Amino acid sequence: MNKEDKSFPPERQEHNSGREITYSDEELFEISPPKTLKGKYLREVAFPLGGIGTGCVSISGSGQLVDWEIFNRPNKGYRPEYSFFMLFAQEDGEEPVFRVLEGRLQPPYQGYSHGATPYQGFGFGPPGGYGSGLLRMEKCSFTGYFPFCRLDFSDSSLPVEVSTEAWSPFIPLNDNDSSLPVAVFDVTITNTSQKPVNTTVSLGLQNIIGWPQVGKSVNAWVENDDYRGIIMTTEKHENNSPRFGTMALVTPDKDVTYQLRFGESGWFARSESLMDEFGMTGEFIGPKEPATSPDNHGQMSQLGIKAKLAPGESTTKTFILAWLMPNFEKYWGGNGSVWKTYQGNQWKDAEEIASYTIKNMPRLESQTRKFADNFFASTLPVYVLDSISSQMSILRTPTVTRLPDSTLYGWEGCHANAGCCEGSCTHVWAYAQTIAYLFPRLERGMREIDYAMNLRGEDGHMQFRMQLPPGTQAQHGGHAAADGQMGGILRTYREWQISGDDEFLKKLWPSLKKALEYAWVDWDKDKDGLLEGIHHNTLDIEYHGPETVCGSMYLAALRAGEEMARYLGDNESADEYRRVFELGSKLSDEKLYNGEYYYQLIPEGIDVPYQYGPGCIIDQVLGQWHSRMYGLGDIYDADHVKSAIVSVFKYNFRDDLYNHHNPHRVYAINGDKGLLICTWPKGGRPKRSVTYAFECMIGFEYQAGAHMVYEGFLREGLSVCKAVRERHDGFLRNPYNEFECGSHYARSMANYAYLLALSGFRYSAPSKTLFFNPVIFKDNFQTFFSVEGAWGIIKQRRASYGKVITINVLEGELKLDMVVSGDETVKQEIYLKKGESVELNFKRNH
């Protein structure tokens, strides 16, 4: 579907801001396949490969394997030596041609500063250990469609063309197979000549087990019916050490060549052997018997897969790279505790993981591809799909790990070599939506451990960062985070709605009540629905006086609490939550709304820094965003909310930043477009105003932009999403690393709200009700969906009598009693199993 398809006209929208929209309708409503990047737009691309909580290896836009972050901590910039793809090709009767299977190196060429050692690094040119001086492919392009990416290579000197598809299993609702520490590379070689061609494609791998304390490594050959390849171990580290681990590089193909290490290592012998031996014959002739390497040295192995191709023939050769670093170390805070990761409890070693992957490859690949194909078949703008899918990769990065009992644990983001801001921080993770829909079991686990470890039983105070090692109870120093604590209530309601797990709700209800009613202990002692007390929040400061960022989260949490209490028969609590909610909603509109947007009421006589006062802050109706997603109704006057959210666009969106001073952190600059955290369109900015006010912070932008869509400001909301993705175009920044306070920042997963807002999708498992009401491409729309128990696609098409909605379950089972679309409802008992669909007719009411 594209802009020429007449069934997809530019959309009308319910409201508009009156501010000029930078983008044309053609740009905002573009439906197209994922974009292919070339040239300079390959420079910053690094696509993470791996499992949920396993760490990752990334493949760059030119095909390099970069950022080896497989050691239970971030490790940006690190690359093992001689761990790259190569290609040998020889046309019958012609000279052989040899290339490193990567695009040509881009500037700068002065050498890399990361990990520089004498006679290497800056001032010595690109590293020899990366084969930098060996010839590479003339043309290269990159196409990302998470969980897959594809690199296409060609070279006028070669009789073949090559395409590498890299992926790791990623299957909604299947968090076990989606947590495999494995990367799969399917290399397709096509003979473009008129003669037969002999080819070998290879991948090198250095034994880096124990990094940064490498050495005494052993590389061994393994061969059985299903696979063959190289297994890497260490004799330096005991199996309970955080440096212990195993690696595997294997293939199911039988026609292979290999070496376990280089025969010589003096001067430039390694690179010369690749050029003179493999480059001339397509064979590896180095040692094939295992030996223990010297200390501080990791042996470098090579695995090649051979094929002879007739003219026009293609073949696909598969490499599986697996790793298992089973022991997690608390490397910060001086504790030094070590424990088994979830993967460490599940698997014996990397070979077992590789073997499982190969034996289950048809299922793993087909289900992962089914997810990708149907997600990208959604009739959402291409940059929206790119945004949501690309940041699913956060789950593969060291931003998350899985604790021994399988619980997901997260940092906010990543420093270059350490996690940034530990503790599954509630005031950051409350923005994230992706996991709740794709892997709802993981989100329920995060709720359970939060209330088990972080709640103070006597009064409901919650620590907003969960401490490690596992089992550590909160110390409760400092303020609770109002937005994070109320966000926990809302997320629990969300998890219950998505799963329908009544036992989960009953188990947590006493804790939820304590956490919600803590507001009456500290922040809202008079129970008038306003947060007059000092309250900590996600801008890392305390607000003094009532405002609507945390205040709207409080009111939304009261609504969620009311719904859960009434469902469980706790009507006394439900009635009280309702009373406080109604009073707070009324007082907020009376006291905190200036006729255009909501603001902070700083008490008289209070002179403290980091307040925003009369400012127009980006998340001023944050709780209303949650309420829209979860069906909790209006938190404030509906017209006030619309005015407030569009004021964020009107006053905070910048078409460029050439005239914008930013004394804070720089996440957008120069020609970048974006949404500022806070502005003061009516004046009155405090001297030491709220932290981060001058920044563009991506998770906040996604939240506000998706909320604009919910409130009928379609183009404004889409403009925010498009601006973010333009900043991550592969040249300016990595499309797979939206950073805020560190790389791969968790709050970016707020972007799943765009799918929910544009499709009008919501699901209530307790009432077996599905809501679906697209606001874009209404005549012919479809979207991916995922909830507990089932995932698939939902379609809407116009008919003469109204509209037809089709629900197709691709995996799992879905039970419904009712489907609601806008003001229309179809009541019908529906039970769909895998591969089944139902078509529902919605007739116009006259």
Side-chain angles (χ1 to χ4, degrees), residues 153-167:
F153 303 98
S154 63
D155 194 305
S156 57
S157 301
L158 283 165
V160 296
E161 291 180 344
V162 182
S163 176
T164 297
E165 188 173 56
W167 61 283

Side-chain angles (χ1 to χ4, degrees), residues 475-598:
Q475 298 301 305
H476 297 284
H479 294 288
D483 49 357
Q485 188 153 330
M486 297 300 104
I489 307 296
L490 288 162
R491 293 157 80 192
T492 303
Y493 179 78
R494 177 191 64 189
E495 268 62 273
W496 172 56
Q497 287 290 299
I498 290 173
S499 69
D501 188 341
D502 286 355
E503 293 306 312
F504 164 79
L505 180 62
K506 291 174 184 176
K507 174 184 176 182
L508 293 187
W509 180 240
S511 297
L512 294 170
K513 285 186 65 176
K514 281 282 187 182
L516 179 54
E517 294 174 14
Y518 176 77
W520 304 338
V521 174
D522 195 359
W523 307 315
D524 182 22
K525 293 181 180 180
D526 60 4
K527 298 172 69 172
D528 67 351
L530 299 181
L531 300 182
E532 295 95 349
I534 299 169
H535 46 287
H536 188 78
N537 64 86
T538 196
L539 296 183
D540 301 320
I541 47 88
E542 284 73 47
Y543 285 141
H544 292 250
E547 43 69 44
T548 59
V549 178
C550 298
S552 66
M553 291 292 283
Y554 173 40
L555 295 181
L558 286 168
R559 278 288 297 114
E562 178 195 353
E563 294 293 324
M564 292 184 285
R566 220 170 284 288
Y567 184 84
L568 295 174
D570 186 355
N571 290 319
E572 182 179 353
S573 294
D575 291 343
E576 184 64 359
Y577 298 155
R578 184 73 194 189
R579 184 192 70 80
V580 178
F581 162 75
E582 289 181 349
L583 182 56
S585 177
K586 177 176 178 291
L587 290 176
S588 296
D589 279 319
E590 290 175 358
K591 295 185 175 183
L592 304 178
Y593 183 71
N594 68 5
E596 197 171 7
Y597 54 84
Y598 293 94

Side-chain angles (χ1 to χ4, degrees), residues 38 43 45-46 101 174 184 202 209 211 251 257 260 358 383 490 511 540 557 644 646 681 703 713-714 783 814 827 829:
K38 300 178 181 180
R43 188 178 75 173
V45 173
L101 191 56
N174 184 346
V184 182
S202 73
I209 297 168
W211 188 93
T251 178
T257 178
L260 297 180
I358 288 172
Y383 56 88
L490 288 162
S511 297
D540 301 320
V646 81
Q703 174 269 313
F713 299 99
L714 179 59
T783 188
L814 183 66
K827 294 182 178 181
E829 286 191 12

Side-chain angles (χ1 to χ4, degrees), residues 766-781:
S767 66
K768 296 186 177 65
T769 303
L770 188 149
F771 299 82
F772 182 66
N773 191 30
V775 299
I776 189 171
F777 306 137
K778 300 175 186 178
D779 290 347
N780 193 1
F781 178 87

Side-chain angles (χ1 to χ4, degrees), residues 427-481:
H427 62 64
V428 169
W429 279 83
Y431 286 75
Q433 300 298 319
T434 305
I435 308 171
Y437 293 89
L438 296 186
F439 303 104
R441 187 175 77 89
L442 296 184
E443 278 285 6
R444 293 200 301 279
M446 294 179 82
R447 299 295 79 71
E448 290 173 340
I449 201 169
D450 186 25
Y451 290 108
M453 296 291 109
N454 291 337
L455 180 75
R456 188 165 63 198
E458 61 266 29
D459 64 358
H461 178 284
M462 292 194 72
Q463 184 169 288
F464 57 86
R465 296 188 189 277
M466 193 186 85
Q467 299 302 300
L468 293 176
T472 302
Q473 288 288 337
Q475 298 301 305
H476 297 284
H479 294 288

